[in-house]
């Protein structure tokens, strides 16, 4: 492989409809030559000039063959399902993810959903919209709750899950971590179990939080059997990917009362179709896949990008968040 271009000779194309990566990168590294694109057509037209591409959802597989100068792609997102890793290896183009760029935001979003379900904030908001005052709940089961002493089972204990575990423990919760490699914890938890033991651990959890990547192993992980294994009164929080959950089974469990509550940030189809029963369920909080949104996101991605540009310039074999 030829030497990576000198920093002074690099042209970087940042393609995203919303994130202001160009502004952050220009502010942080004014010596770099940077271009921007806000849609696929504009990005495709400028692709031939780029040595480095910073992109996520706009990426199209045919871009790899069309980008004659391309040497490195920095994904703007933590997920890299849209990239064909083998094709990148064959083309000699390096690829890295933005894993960790939104770990704080997603972990805090998951915690907010746990607290919102516990304190029934969504129900209070619904009553506010109707200017309705219902007073104190007469049944203990209808009251707001507290999370101290409850158990959070966190599926996926990487950067997001481990940080959420720290938050949960700070609030007095017991944390069970579910992860692929049980030999490497990577964060504080009271207990760690393998993915294969998930259904055995589910009955002990008050809150089941999905913070895992979408892989062949995790697709449909929370199916009808897993939902049936959850204890009465438990809640499901999904800040991972919609396909980790069998959505039809989830809706059935919620409608039949087998699952008490859910707070969902991602769905099988996005945007969530207007006719989805999830919109109208009083025991469900829907957020619009915004768990990773943060005002710091651009700078967090640029941190990773600049680190990787330095590594490539040195000829390092290993990149930060390396994928290919």
């Amino acid at each position: 492989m030829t030497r990576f271009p000198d920093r002074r000779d690099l042209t970087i194309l940042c393609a995203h409809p919303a994130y202001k990566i160009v502004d952050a990168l220009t502010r942080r590294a004014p010596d770099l030559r940077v271009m921007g694109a806000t849609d696929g057509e504009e990005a495709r037209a400028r692709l031939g000039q780029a040595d480095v591409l910073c992109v996520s959802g706009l990426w199209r597989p045919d871009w790899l063959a069309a980008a004659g100068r391309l040497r490195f792609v920095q994904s703007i997102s933590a997920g890299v399902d849209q990239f064909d890793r083998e094709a990148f290896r064959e083309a000699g183009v390096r690829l890295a993810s933005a894993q960790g760029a939104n770990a704080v935001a997603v972990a805090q979003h998951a915690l907010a959903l746990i607290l919102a379900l516990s304190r029934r904030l969504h129900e209070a908001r619904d009553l506010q919209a109707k200017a309705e005052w219902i007073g104190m709940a007469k049944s203990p089961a209808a009251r707001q709750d507290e999370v101290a002493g409850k158990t959070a089972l966190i599926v996926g204990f990487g950067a997001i899950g481990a940080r959420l575990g720290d938050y949960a423990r700070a609030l007095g919760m017991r944390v069970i971590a579910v992860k692929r490699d049980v030999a490497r914890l990577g964060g504080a938890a009271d207990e760690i179990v393998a993915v294969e033991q998930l259904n055995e651990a589910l009955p002990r959890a008050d809150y089941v939080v999905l913070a895992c990547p979408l892989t062949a192993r995790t697709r449909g992980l929370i199916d009808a059997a897993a939902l049936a294994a959850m204890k009465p009164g438990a809640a499901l929080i999904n800040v991972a990917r919609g396909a980790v959950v069998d959505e039809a089974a989830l809706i059935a469990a919620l409608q039949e009362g087998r699952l008490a509550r859910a707070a969902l940030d991602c769905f099988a189809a996005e945007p969530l179709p207007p006719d989805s029963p999830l919109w109208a369920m009083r025991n469900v909080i829907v957020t619009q896949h915004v768990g990773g949104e943060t005002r710091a996101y651009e700078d967090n991605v640029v941190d990773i990008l600049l680190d990787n540009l330095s590594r490539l310039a040195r000829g390092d074999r290993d990149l930060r968040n390396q994928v290919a």
Side-chain angles (χ1 to χ4, degrees):
M1 181 181 293
T2 58
R3 190 175 184 276
F4 193 75
D6 186 89
R7 184 184 177 102
R8 293 168 297 181
D9 300 324
L10 281 177
T11 297
I12 302 173
L13 172 60
C14 302
H16 197 279
Y19 287 129
K20 312 299 182 185
I21 304 294
V22 171
D23 295 346
L25 187 54
T26 301
R27 172 171 46 82
R28 298 274 298 278
D31 60 312
L32 290 174
R33 187 184 304 116
V34 184
M35 303 182 298
T38 58
D39 58 50
E41 184 177 346
E42 185 181 16
R44 184 68 168 75
R46 296 185 171 187
L47 196 56
Q49 306 171 54
D51 302 287
V52 173
L53 175 61
C54 198
V55 69
S56 56
L58 294 179
W59 173 261
R60 296 296 177 266
D62 66 309
W63 287 10
L64 198 55
R69 291 176 50 177
L70 192 62
R71 300 291 301 280
F72 171 55
V73 172
Q74 173 64 65
S75 174
I76 296 174
S77 62
V80 289
D81 302 336
Q82 68 271 43
F83 301 107
D84 184 337
R85 304 181 189 199
E86 188 56 38
F88 270 76
R89 295 187 188 100
E90 291 176 1
V93 177
R94 307 295 298 276
L95 172 65
S97 79
Q99 182 180 356
N102 60 1
V104 171
V106 178
Q108 290 183 0
H109 194 80
L111 179 64
L113 293 175
I114 290 173
L115 291 172
L117 288 176
S118 172
R119 302 306 302 167
R120 297 178 178 264
L121 296 184
H122 53 303
E123 296 178 13
R125 185 70 181 186
D126 292 345
L127 291 170
Q128 178 181 342
K130 297 184 292 185
E132 183 178 344
W133 186 282
I134 62 171
M136 183 178 293
K138 296 180 173 60
S139 166
R143 293 177 191 164
Q144 286 83 357
D145 204 356
E146 51 195 79
V147 298
K150 300 295 192 297
T151 295
L153 187 147
I154 303 174
V155 182
F157 217 65
I160 295 168
R163 190 173 292 271
L164 175 60
D166 289 338
Y167 295 157
R169 289 180 58 160
L171 292 174
M173 300 184 77
R174 174 177 171 77
V175 173
I176 302 174
V178 180
K179 66 193 304 283
R180 182 183 58 208
D181 184 0
V182 297
R184 298 176 58 189
L185 182 55
D190 298 288
E191 184 180 348
I192 179 170
V193 299
V195 177
E196 292 78 11
Q197 299 171 290
L198 173 62
N199 282 16
E200 299 171 24
L202 284 170
R204 296 189 281 139
D206 299 288
Y207 296 90
V208 176
V209 185
L210 307 178
C212 55
L214 177 62
T215 66
R217 195 176 190 183
T218 61
R219 185 177 294 275
L221 182 68
I222 304 300
D223 56 12
L227 291 164
M230 293 174 65
K231 73 179 183 180
L236 178 72
I237 292 92
N238 190 3
V239 292
R241 289 291 185 270
V244 175
V245 179
D246 180 336
E247 198 164 283
L250 171 63
I251 290 170
L254 287 164
Q255 289 175 331
E256 295 165 12
R258 290 182 284 109
L259 180 65
R261 298 163 293 165
L264 311 169
D265 187 52
C266 41
F267 306 88
E270 295 183 359
L272 181 64
D275 60 352
S276 170
L278 293 170
W279 285 113
M281 291 184 176
R282 293 186 68 249
N283 55 344
V284 175
I285 296 176
V286 169
T287 59
Q288 292 76 29
H289 208 149
V290 295
E293 286 195 6
T294 167
R295 296 179 187 180
Y297 196 78
E298 285 88 345
D299 275 314
N300 293 344
V301 172
V302 168
D303 284 342
I304 299 170
L305 173 60
L306 292 177
D307 185 5
N308 280 329
L309 291 180
S310 296
R311 296 184 188 211
L312 288 164
R314 295 194 302 264
D316 290 1
R317 296 183 62 184
D318 296 325
L319 300 178
R320 182 172 170 184
N321 297 341
Q322 180 171 308
V323 177

